[in-house]
Amino acid sequence: MSHAHAHSEGPSAESLALNHEVSDARTQPVIWGGIMVVVTMVLAFVLAMVLLVVWVGPVADQSNTLLNDEMTQLQLPPAPRLEQNPRVDGDRIIAEATERLESYGWVNERAGKAHIPIERAMELLLEHGLDAVK
């Protein structure tokens, strides 16, 4: 019985008796398969580079510098956009909120609704309780 003939018939009697294969896998097909994969990848890369140079042309300078304000405006996304300077905008928002929380002013003058400093509102709430607020 030849070695090639034993593979086509199924597991040998010795393999069945031991409950595992007693012969190693053939390495030659695995090696050739790996070589073919590497060669295919190299050829695909070369083909992609050739097509890129033919259709796109030589690789140009891809720096991120803009020439003028018109180019800048063309590249801006539509509104609403992110803040240009979050630190300055955040400081402005905090200052406006602090001013409103610490001052008197009208919310709706016709309806007679006003805002008062938060410290004074807390004092009034302690003096009169929640029942007085309506």
Side-chain angles (χ1 to χ4, degrees):
M1 204 184 227
S2 72
H3 187 7
H5 187 60
H7 282 285
S8 63
E9 291 179 4
S12 66
E14 183 181 7
S15 294
L16 288 174
L18 294 173
N19 286 329
H20 64 83
E21 291 291 329
V22 292
S23 64
D24 291 333
R26 296 185 315 163
T27 57
Q28 187 176 10
V30 174
I31 292 172
W32 278 110
I35 291 171
M36 294 304 291
V37 166
V38 170
V39 167
T40 302
M41 288 173 49
V42 168
L43 289 175
F45 177 76
V46 169
L47 178 64
M49 292 307 295
V50 167
L51 291 175
L52 185 65
V53 169
V54 167
W55 278 330
V56 176
V59 177
D61 177 28
Q62 298 197 1
S63 64
N64 233 358
T65 58
L66 297 175
L67 300 177
N68 55 33
D69 287 338
E70 286 181 18
M71 291 289 290
T72 304
Q73 290 301 317
L74 289 174
Q75 291 186 351
L76 288 176
R81 292 188 286 272
L82 295 176
E83 299 167 332
Q84 295 297 318
N85 191 342
R87 179 82 170 166
V88 171
D89 292 340
D91 291 344
R92 180 185 50 80
I93 291 168
I94 290 171
E96 289 173 2
T98 303
E99 172 66 27
R100 183 169 172 100
L101 288 172
E102 295 176 349
S103 67
Y104 291 91
W106 288 106
V107 174
N108 186 342
E109 192 170 359
R110 283 187 158 179
K113 293 189 177 199
H115 65 86
I116 62 174
I118 194 162
E119 292 294 326
R120 180 65 181 139
M122 289 189 290
E123 290 171 5
L124 291 172
L125 189 60
L126 286 174
E127 290 174 14
H128 302 288
L130 284 175
D131 293 334
V133 180
K134 289 188 181 182

